[in-house]
Amino acid sequence: MSEEAVLSANQTLLNAITQGDYEIYKQLVSSDATCFEDESAGHLVEGLEFHKFYFDLDGPPTGEPSPNKAHMAAKPHVRMLGENAAVCSYVRVNQKVGGDGVPVTTTALETRVWECKEGSWVNVHVHRS
C-alpha cells in the first residue's frame, strides 16, 4: 500500500465529513477509533458515537459537496509505518459560511493514524489541536 492510497482515504474521509455522510465515515473509521480534539475537551474519546452526534446535527447527507462548507488537508505528510500502518499529518483548513452570511476560515493541526485492514485503509486515531 502506498502513500497515495493513504492520502486518497484521508481526503475521502474529509469529503464524507463535509457532506455529512456518516455511512462513508463509518467505512473509513474503525469502530474502536480513538481521538483527542477540541470537542472532547482534552479527553480521549473511543468509538464512533461521539462523532455521530455531530453528523446527526447536520441532518441527512446530501451526497453533494456543501456550497457552504469545505474541509481540506493542506501540505499533507505521510509516514508509512510498515505495509499496514501510516501516519498522515497536515493542516486542516475548514471553510464555512457563518450564520450572518460571512465566510469564515479556521485551521487546525491534525494527525491521523491509518491501518490497512483486509486491504482497506481505516482511520484508527486522530489528534487535532
Coordinates of all heavy atoms in Angstrom, one line a residue, residues 2-58:
S2 N 0.4 2.3 -0.6 CA 1.2 3.4 -0.8 C 0.7 4.7 -0.1 O -0.4 4.7 0.4 CB 1.3 3.7 -2.3 OG 0.0 4.2 -2.8
E3 N 1.6 5.7 -0.1 CA 1.3 7.0 0.5 C 0.1 7.5 -0.2 O -0.8 8.2 0.4 CB 2.5 7.9 0.4 CG 3.6 7.5 1.3 CD 4.8 8.5 1.1 OE1 4.7 9.6 0.6 OE2 5.9 8.1 1.6
E4 N 0.0 7.3 -1.6 CA -1.1 7.9 -2.3 C -2.4 7.3 -1.9 O -3.5 8.0 -1.8 CB -0.9 7.6 -3.8 CG 0.2 8.4 -4.4 CD 1.6 7.8 -4.2 OE1 1.7 6.6 -3.9 OE2 2.6 8.5 -4.2
A5 N -2.4 6.0 -1.5 CA -3.7 5.3 -1.1 C -4.1 5.9 0.3 O -5.3 6.1 0.5 CB -3.5 3.8 -0.9
V6 N -3.2 6.2 1.1 CA -3.5 6.9 2.4 C -4.0 8.3 2.2 O -5.1 8.6 2.8 CB -2.2 6.9 3.4 CG1 -2.5 7.7 4.6 CG2 -1.8 5.5 3.7
L7 N -3.4 9.0 1.4 CA -3.9 10.4 1.1 C -5.3 10.4 0.5 O -6.1 11.2 0.8 CB -2.9 11.1 0.1 CG -1.6 11.5 0.7 CD1 -0.6 12.1 -0.3 CD2 -1.8 12.6 1.8
S8 N -5.5 9.4 -0.4 CA -6.9 9.3 -1.0 C -7.9 8.9 0.0 O -9.0 9.5 0.1 CB -6.8 8.2 -2.1 OG -8.1 8.0 -2.6
A9 N -7.6 8.0 0.9 CA -8.5 7.6 2.0 C -8.8 8.8 2.9 O -9.9 9.1 3.3 CB -8.0 6.4 2.8
N10 N -7.7 9.6 3.2 CA -7.8 10.7 4.1 C -8.8 11.8 3.5 O -9.6 12.3 4.1 CB -6.5 11.3 4.4 CG -6.5 12.2 5.6 OD1 -6.5 11.7 6.7 ND2 -6.4 13.5 5.3
Q11 N -8.6 12.1 2.2 CA -9.4 13.1 1.5 C -10.8 12.6 1.4 O -11.8 13.4 1.6 CB -8.9 13.5 0.2 CG -9.6 14.6 -0.5 CD -9.6 15.9 0.4 OE1 -8.5 16.3 0.8 NE2 -10.7 16.5 0.7
T12 N -11.0 11.3 1.1 CA -12.4 10.7 1.1 C -13.1 10.9 2.4 O -14.3 11.2 2.5 CB -12.4 9.3 0.7 OG1 -11.7 9.2 -0.6 CG2 -13.7 8.7 0.6
L13 N -12.3 10.7 3.5 CA -12.9 10.9 4.9 C -13.3 12.4 5.1 O -14.4 12.6 5.6 CB -11.9 10.4 5.9 CG -12.3 10.6 7.4 CD1 -13.6 9.9 7.7 CD2 -11.2 10.2 8.3
L14 N -12.4 13.3 4.7 CA -12.7 14.7 4.9 C -13.9 15.1 4.0 O -14.8 15.9 4.4 CB -11.5 15.6 4.5 CG -10.3 15.5 5.4 CD1 -9.2 16.4 4.9 CD2 -10.7 15.8 6.9
N15 N -14.1 14.5 2.8 CA -15.2 14.7 2.0 C -16.5 14.2 2.6 O -17.6 14.9 2.6 CB -15.1 14.1 0.6 CG -14.0 14.8 -0.2 OD1 -13.5 15.8 0.1 ND2 -13.6 14.1 -1.3
A16 N -16.4 13.0 3.3 CA -17.6 12.5 4.0 C -18.0 13.4 5.1 O -19.2 13.6 5.3 CB -17.3 11.1 4.5
I17 N -17.0 14.0 5.8 CA -17.4 14.9 6.9 C -18.1 16.1 6.3 O -19.1 16.6 6.8 CB -16.1 15.3 7.7 CG1 -15.6 14.0 8.4 CG2 -16.3 16.4 8.6 CD1 -14.2 14.2 9.0
T18 N -17.5 16.7 5.2 CA -18.1 17.9 4.6 C -19.5 17.6 4.1 O -20.4 18.4 4.3 CB -17.2 18.3 3.4 OG1 -15.9 18.6 3.9 CG2 -17.8 19.5 2.7
Q19 N -19.8 16.4 3.6 CA -21.1 16.1 3.0 C -22.0 15.5 4.1 O -23.2 15.3 3.8 CB -20.9 15.0 1.9 CG -20.1 15.6 0.7 CD -19.7 14.5 -0.3 OE1 -20.1 13.3 -0.2 NE2 -18.9 14.9 -1.2
G20 N -21.5 15.3 5.3 CA -22.4 14.8 6.3 C -22.8 13.3 6.1 O -23.8 12.9 6.5
D21 N -21.9 12.6 5.4 CA -22.2 11.2 5.0 C -21.6 10.2 6.1 O -20.5 9.8 6.0 CB -21.6 10.9 3.6 CG -22.1 9.6 3.1 OD1 -22.5 8.7 3.9 OD2 -22.2 9.5 1.8
Y22 N -22.4 9.9 7.1 CA -22.0 9.1 8.2 C -21.7 7.6 7.7 O -20.8 6.9 8.2 CB -23.0 9.1 9.3 CG -22.5 8.3 10.5 CD1 -21.5 8.8 11.3 CD2 -23.1 7.1 10.9 CE1 -21.0 8.1 12.4 CE2 -22.7 6.4 12.0 CZ -21.6 6.9 12.8 OH -21.2 6.3 13.9
E23 N -22.4 7.2 6.7 CA -22.2 5.8 6.2 C -20.8 5.6 5.6 O -20.1 4.7 5.9 CB -23.3 5.4 5.1 CG -24.6 5.3 5.7 CD -24.7 4.3 6.9 OE1 -24.2 3.2 6.8 OE2 -25.3 4.6 7.9
I24 N -20.3 6.6 4.8 CA -19.0 6.6 4.3 C -18.0 6.7 5.4 O -17.0 6.1 5.5 CB -18.8 7.7 3.2 CG1 -19.7 7.4 2.0 CG2 -17.3 7.8 2.8 CD1 -19.3 6.2 1.2
Y25 N -18.3 7.7 6.3 CA -17.4 7.9 7.5 C -17.2 6.6 8.3 O -16.1 6.2 8.6 CB -18.1 8.9 8.4 CG -17.3 9.3 9.6 CD1 -16.4 10.3 9.6 CD2 -17.5 8.6 10.9 CE1 -15.6 10.6 10.7 CE2 -16.8 9.0 12.0 CZ -15.9 10.0 11.9 OH -15.2 10.3 13.0
K26 N -18.3 5.8 8.5 CA -18.2 4.5 9.2 C -17.3 3.5 8.5 O -16.7 2.7 9.1 CB -19.6 3.9 9.4 CG -20.4 4.5 10.5 CD -21.6 3.7 10.9 CE -22.3 3.1 9.8 NZ -23.6 2.4 10.2
Q27 N -17.3 3.6 7.2 CA -16.5 2.7 6.4 C -15.0 3.0 6.5 O -14.1 2.1 6.4 CB -16.9 2.7 4.9 CG -18.2 2.1 4.6 CD -18.6 2.4 3.2 OE1 -17.8 2.6 2.3 NE2 -19.9 2.4 2.9
L28 N -14.7 4.3 6.7 CA -13.3 4.7 6.8 C -12.7 4.9 8.2 O -11.5 5.1 8.3 CB -13.2 6.1 6.1 CG -13.4 6.0 4.5 CD1 -13.6 7.4 4.0 CD2 -12.2 5.3 3.9
V29 N -13.6 4.8 9.2 CA -13.1 4.9 10.6 C -13.4 3.7 11.4 O -14.5 3.2 11.4 CB -13.8 6.2 11.3 CG1 -13.3 6.3 12.7 CG2 -13.5 7.4 10.5
S30 N -12.4 3.1 12.0 CA -12.6 1.9 12.8 C -13.6 2.1 13.9 O -13.6 3.2 14.5 CB -11.2 1.5 13.4 OG -11.3 0.3 14.1
S31 N -14.4 1.1 14.2 CA -15.4 1.2 15.2 C -14.8 1.5 16.6 O -15.5 2.0 17.5 CB -16.3 0.0 15.3 OG -15.5 -1.2 15.6
D32 N -13.5 1.1 16.8 CA -12.9 1.4 18.1 C -11.8 2.5 18.0 O -10.9 2.6 18.8 CB -12.2 0.1 18.6 CG -11.1 -0.5 17.7 OD1 -11.0 0.0 16.5 OD2 -10.4 -1.4 18.1
A33 N -12.0 3.4 17.0 CA -11.1 4.5 16.9 C -11.1 5.4 18.1 O -12.0 5.4 18.9 CB -11.5 5.4 15.7
T34 N -9.9 6.1 18.3 CA -9.8 7.0 19.4 C -9.4 8.4 18.9 O -9.0 8.5 17.7 CB -8.6 6.5 20.3 OG1 -7.4 6.4 19.6 CG2 -9.0 5.2 21.0
C35 N -9.7 9.4 19.7 CA -9.4 10.7 19.3 C -9.1 11.7 20.5 O -9.7 11.5 21.6 CB -10.4 11.3 18.4 SG -12.0 11.7 19.2
F36 N -8.3 12.7 20.2 CA -8.2 13.9 21.1 C -8.5 15.0 20.2 O -7.9 15.2 19.1 CB -6.8 14.0 21.6 CG -6.4 13.1 22.7 CD1 -5.4 12.1 22.5 CD2 -6.9 13.3 24.0 CE1 -5.1 11.3 23.5 CE2 -6.5 12.5 25.0 CZ -5.6 11.4 24.8
E37 N -9.5 15.8 20.5 CA -9.8 17.0 19.7 C -10.5 18.1 20.6 O -10.9 17.8 21.7 CB -10.6 16.7 18.5 CG -11.9 15.9 18.8 CD -12.6 15.4 17.6 OE1 -12.0 14.5 16.9 OE2 -13.7 15.8 17.3
D38 N -10.6 19.3 20.1 CA -11.2 20.4 20.9 C -12.6 20.0 21.5 O -12.9 20.3 22.6 CB -11.4 21.6 20.0 CG -10.0 22.2 19.7 OD1 -9.0 21.9 20.3 OD2 -10.0 23.1 18.7
E39 N -13.4 19.3 20.7 CA -14.8 19.0 21.1 C -14.8 18.0 22.3 O -15.7 17.9 23.0 CB -15.6 18.4 20.0 CG -15.9 19.4 18.8 CD -14.8 19.5 17.8 OE1 -13.7 18.8 18.0 OE2 -15.0 20.2 16.8
S40 N -13.7 17.2 22.4 CA -13.6 16.3 23.5 C -13.0 16.9 24.8 O -12.9 16.2 25.8 CB -12.8 15.0 23.1 OG -11.5 15.3 23.0
A41 N -12.8 18.2 24.8 CA -12.3 18.9 26.0 C -11.1 18.2 26.7 O -11.0 18.2 27.9 CB -13.4 19.1 27.0
G42 N -10.2 17.7 25.8 CA -8.9 17.2 26.4 C -9.0 15.7 26.8 O -8.1 15.1 27.3
H43 N -10.2 15.1 26.6 CA -10.4 13.7 27.0 C -10.2 12.8 25.8 O -10.6 13.2 24.7 CB -11.8 13.5 27.6 CG -12.0 14.3 28.8 ND1 -11.7 13.8 30.1 CD2 -12.6 15.5 29.0 CE1 -12.0 14.7 31.0 NE2 -12.5 15.7 30.4
L44 N -9.7 11.6 26.0 CA -9.6 10.6 25.0 C -11.0 10.0 24.7 O -11.6 9.6 25.7 CB -8.6 9.5 25.4 CG -8.5 8.4 24.4 CD1 -7.8 8.9 23.1 CD2 -7.7 7.2 25.0
V45 N -11.4 10.1 23.5 CA -12.8 9.6 23.1 C -12.5 8.3 22.4 O -11.7 8.2 21.5 CB -13.6 10.6 22.3 CG1 -14.8 10.0 21.8 CG2 -13.8 11.8 23.1
E46 N -13.3 7.3 22.7 CA -13.2 6.0 22.0 C -14.6 5.7 21.3 O -15.6 5.9 21.8 CB -12.9 4.9 23.0 CG -11.6 5.1 23.7 CD -11.3 4.0 24.6 OE1 -11.2 2.8 24.2 OE2 -11.1 4.3 25.8
G47 N -14.5 5.1 20.1 CA -15.7 4.7 19.4 C -16.2 5.8 18.5 O -15.7 6.9 18.4
L48 N -17.3 5.5 17.8 CA -17.9 6.4 16.8 C -19.1 7.2 17.3 O -19.4 8.2 16.6 CB -18.4 5.6 15.6 CG -17.3 4.8 14.8 CD1 -17.9 4.0 13.7 CD2 -16.3 5.8 14.3
E49 N -19.7 6.9 18.4 CA -20.9 7.6 18.8 C -20.7 9.1 19.1 O -21.5 9.9 18.8 CB -21.5 7.0 20.1 CG -22.2 5.7 19.8 CD -23.3 5.8 18.8 OE1 -24.2 6.7 19.0 OE2 -23.3 5.1 17.8
F50 N -19.5 9.4 19.6 CA -19.2 10.9 19.8 C -19.3 11.7 18.6 O -19.9 12.7 18.5 CB -17.8 11.0 20.4 CG -17.3 12.4 20.7 CD1 -17.7 13.0 21.8 CD2 -16.5 13.1 19.8 CE1 -17.3 14.3 22.1 CE2 -16.1 14.4 20.0 CZ -16.5 15.0 21.2
H51 N -18.8 11.1 17.5 CA -18.8 11.9 16.2 C -20.2 11.8 15.5 O -20.6 12.7 14.8 CB -17.7 11.4 15.3 CG -16.4 11.8 15.8 ND1 -15.5 10.9 16.3 CD2 -15.8 13.0 15.9 CE1 -14.4 11.5 16.7 NE2 -14.5 12.8 16.5
K52 N -20.9 10.7 15.7 CA -22.2 10.5 15.1 C -23.1 11.7 15.6 O -24.0 12.2 14.8 CB -22.8 9.2 15.5 CG -24.2 9.0 14.8 CD -24.7 7.6 15.0 CE -25.9 7.3 14.2 NZ -26.9 8.3 14.1
F53 N -23.0 12.1 16.8 CA -23.8 13.2 17.3 C -23.7 14.4 16.4 O -24.7 15.1 16.1 CB -23.3 13.6 18.7 CG -23.9 14.9 19.3 CD1 -25.1 14.9 19.8 CD2 -23.2 16.1 19.2 CE1 -25.7 16.1 20.3 CE2 -23.7 17.3 19.7 CZ -25.0 17.2 20.2
Y54 N -22.5 14.7 15.9 CA -22.2 15.9 15.1 C -22.8 15.7 13.7 O -23.3 16.6 13.0 CB -20.8 16.3 15.0 CG -20.3 16.8 16.3 CD1 -19.6 15.9 17.2 CD2 -20.6 18.1 16.8 CE1 -19.2 16.4 18.5 CE2 -20.2 18.5 18.0 CZ -19.5 17.7 18.9 OH -19.1 18.1 20.1
F55 N -22.7 14.4 13.2 CA -23.4 14.1 11.9 C -24.9 14.3 12.0 O -25.5 14.8 11.1 CB -23.0 12.7 11.4 CG -21.7 12.5 10.8 CD1 -20.6 12.3 11.6 CD2 -21.5 12.7 9.4 CE1 -19.3 12.2 11.0 CE2 -20.3 12.5 8.8 CZ -19.2 12.3 9.6
D56 N -25.5 13.8 13.1 CA -26.9 13.9 13.2 C -27.4 15.4 13.3 O -28.5 15.7 12.9 CB -27.4 13.2 14.5 CG -27.2 11.7 14.3 OD1 -27.1 11.2 13.2 OD2 -27.3 11.0 15.4
L57 N -26.5 16.3 13.8 CA -26.9 17.7 13.9 C -27.1 18.3 12.5 O -28.0 19.2 12.4 CB -25.8 18.5 14.6 CG -25.7 18.4 16.1 CD1 -24.5 19.2 16.6 CD2 -27.0 18.9 16.8
D58 N -26.4 17.8 11.5 CA -26.5 18.4 10.2 C -27.6 17.8 9.4 O -27.8 18.3 8.3 CB -25.1 18.1 9.4 CG -24.0 19.0 9.9 OD1 -24.3 20.1 10.5 OD2 -22.8 18.6 9.7

